[in-house]
Amino acid sequence: MSKVAIVRCSAYEQAEVDEAVRQACMQASMPSVEGMRILLKPNILSDAKPERNITTHPMVVRSMIRLLKEHGAKQILVGDSPGLQVPNFLPKLSGIHQVCLEEGAEWVDFTKQPRLHTIPYTSNKQLLLTSVLSEVDMVFSLPKFKTHQLMYATGAVKNLFGLVPNLSKSPCHVLFPTREQFASLMVGIAEVVKPSFSLMDGVIGMEGPGPANGRPRHLGLLLASTDALALDYAQAQIMGYSSEQVPIIAEGLKRGIGSVPSSYPVLDARELVLPDYQRIEVQKRTRFVHSLIIPFFFSKLIRWKVKKDRKAPVFLVDPCIRCRKCIDICPAHALTMQDKRIIIDEKACIRCYCCHEVCPVSAILVDETIPS
Ligand code: SF4
Ligand code: SF4
């Protein structure tokens, strides 16, 4: 039974968040955590102040820690690994590190001795995941309600990609260039991790060109479920997407890692649909007859099709602060700095939009924002 509890939480006021998190977790039948070691995985795409709405709000993380302590958790670890993580990274700007200190939770570094895992649904590709996974009894995914330029929506399943340490994430966009292939990778990671519970911060979400440069949208909601995919399904419903349109949900349902919500014990996602929510426009699926084409030609064909279907990002000169983060994260090495401007090699660019995610000043435009 995949019930999804959706509760009201009008603002980031700690007492209200505490109560709403408690209600959401109880209504969603949070598993017993007594004596357990729990890893909380908030979304810290890049360490940014809570007002930017990029990260899971620290009050939501605090309320979750408090509830777990109340329910007898033995140890609570908190971690994430942004793409451009510096050594000994601490999420100070987002306020999450301070919450850990004040609530007695331990911040953990995912870059220390990660281990290779074989990821299902990816032709047995191997990927590094944090070794913390082997030290805990349960993983709780704490995503933020956001759009995502590549995957349309980012939720409890996509949030687990942060268990891959920092720059190890970038090559995945080269290996899995289509939305559908990337969705298979996300679903495969979820299958390996098997998150026990998910709580989504939708008090203020993000619409438009997410996950880093979209606009804040007040939703006043928290969503919780033991089924990460069902939770993402509910989020997609509220955004106005169908399950077939969001590749991670379509792939997750096909692979059986989760299911369609069987009930909504508090608020019903179908009655919360936001007709004016600024979604990412859905593009046609990339379809190929794999078995008929030899692998080398097939990979070339996929790259050609991806480039044809998706626009390359555009780099604005004025807002750019020349931090070089886009250059550092680009898995295709398509970016250079010349005369204090970012220059893109459009032939090399694989349209993964990692640069857009890490730009701290919205100096990169993708898809919907690029004039044709
Ligand atoms: S330029 Fe941006 S979108 Fe293109 S490959 Fe590099 S990171 Fe990805
Ligand atoms: S990440 Fe943004 S601000 Fe930094 S160099 Fe690239 S375009 Fe400029």
Side-chain angles (χ1 to χ4, degrees):
M1 294 288 281
S2 295
K3 65 179 168 182
V4 180
I6 307 175
V7 304
R8 296 268 181 221
C9 182
S10 66
Y12 292 118
E13 300 287 343
Q14 194 66 61
E16 185 181 353
V17 177
D18 282 352
E19 186 46 42
V21 165
R22 178 189 309 279
Q23 190 195 2
C25 293
M26 294 306 100
Q27 290 289 342
S29 305
M30 184 180 86
S32 169
V33 295
E34 196 171 351
M36 302 281 183
R37 287 167 300 175
I38 315 282
L39 172 63
L40 298 184
K41 164 62 183 76
N43 182 339
I44 310 178
L45 177 73
S46 59
D47 191 27
K49 290 185 177 173
E51 307 85 80
R52 288 191 63 201
N53 289 301
I54 292 174
T55 57
T56 306
H57 199 282
M59 284 190 193
V60 174
V61 179
R62 187 190 294 278
S63 300
M64 190 74 249
I65 295 171
R66 286 178 174 176
L67 191 68
L68 291 175
K69 284 195 293 190
E70 243 179 71
H71 283 246
K74 182 175 161 193
Q75 189 183 19
I76 302 164
L77 309 176
V78 182
D80 195 4
S81 182
L84 292 176
Q85 177 176 347
V86 292
N88 303 314
F89 163 72
L90 296 172
K92 290 187 174 173
L93 274 179
S94 66
I96 290 174
H97 183 245
Q98 190 61 27
V99 163
C100 292
L101 292 176
E102 289 171 3
E103 298 295 334
E106 184 185 338
W107 174 258
V108 283
D109 187 340
F110 286 174
T111 62
K112 292 196 177 137
Q113 299 174 325
R115 295 191 187 151
L116 274 177
H117 291 256
T118 301
I119 308 296
Y121 323 132
T122 65
S123 307
N124 291 326
K125 290 267 184 336
Q126 291 201 309
L127 195 59
L128 286 169
L129 294 174
T130 171
S131 57
V132 176
L133 288 175
S134 61
E135 297 163 16
V136 295
D137 302 303
M138 292 180 176
V139 175
F140 278 34
S141 180
L142 305 183
K144 181 88 170 167
F145 191 113
K146 293 192 292 184
T147 44
H148 193 281
Q149 201 72 49
L150 186 65
M151 305 311 290
Y152 305 132
T154 173
V157 173
K158 172 72 174 59
N159 184 39
L160 301 174
F161 193 37
L163 297 166
V164 179
N166 59 351
L167 279 175
S168 301
K169 286 189 270 293
S170 295
C172 296
H173 291 282
V174 180
L175 288 168
F176 305 93
T178 71
R179 286 186 167 89
E180 292 73 31
Q181 289 172 323
F182 200 72
S184 297
L185 175 66
M186 297 302 107
V187 167
I189 292 173
E191 177 70 18
V192 171
V193 175
K194 295 194 189 317
S196 300
F197 196 71
S198 300
L199 172 74
M200 179 178 281
D201 169 13
V203 179
I204 299 179
M206 182 180 284
E207 62 181 2
N213 292 297
R215 293 172 287 278
R217 173 79 188 241
H218 181 265
L219 303 155
L221 299 172
L222 292 174
L223 295 81
S225 183
T226 53
D227 181 337
L229 194 76
L231 186 146
D232 289 354
Y233 188 105
Q235 177 200 30
Q237 274 187 318
I238 295 169
M239 287 178 168
Y241 287 118
S242 69
S243 58
E244 305 82 50
Q245 288 176 318
V246 181
I248 288 176
I249 298 175
E251 179 70 7
L253 290 175
K254 184 175 118 189
R255 300 292 187 181
I257 66 147
S259 55
V260 173
S262 56
S263 66
Y264 290 111
V266 190
L267 300 169
D268 190 323
R270 291 163 293 191
E271 291 162 14
L272 296 168
V273 179
L274 299 164
D276 63 337
Y277 190 81
Q278 299 294 301
R279 297 189 297 274
I280 308 293
E281 192 184 335
V282 174
Q283 296 179 352
K284 277 185 292 184
R285 279 186 61 119
T286 310
R287 291 180 192 276
F288 295 100
V289 185
H290 298 225
S291 57
L292 298 182
I293 308 168
I294 59 173
F296 173 74
F297 179 63
F298 181 56
S299 66
K300 288 253 175 198
L301 183 63
I302 285 181
R303 293 218 168 87
W304 169 81
K305 184 78 169 71
V306 166
K307 284 180 188 175
K308 185 169 162 291
D309 290 346
R310 293 188 219 151
K311 290 179 186 171
V314 170
F315 293 78
L316 304 177
V317 177
D318 283 347
C320 176
I321 56 170
R322 296 178 270 287
C323 66
R324 303 180 70 90
K325 286 186 175 180
C326 53
I327 296 175
D328 292 343
I329 202 153
C330 177
H333 307 293
L335 302 175
T336 49
M337 179 90 75
Q338 291 172 28
D339 296 331
K340 299 185 179 175
R341 301 172 69 118
I342 295 290
I343 304 295
I344 179 168
D345 175 350
E346 287 201 17
K347 278 192 180 161
C349 170
I350 57 169
R351 278 64 163 167
C352 64
Y353 305 143
C354 291
C355 51
H356 178 255
E357 285 187 19
V358 298
C359 180
V361 292
S362 303
I364 305 173
L365 304 180
V366 294
D367 276 344
E368 63 155 14
T369 42
I370 299 173
S372 41

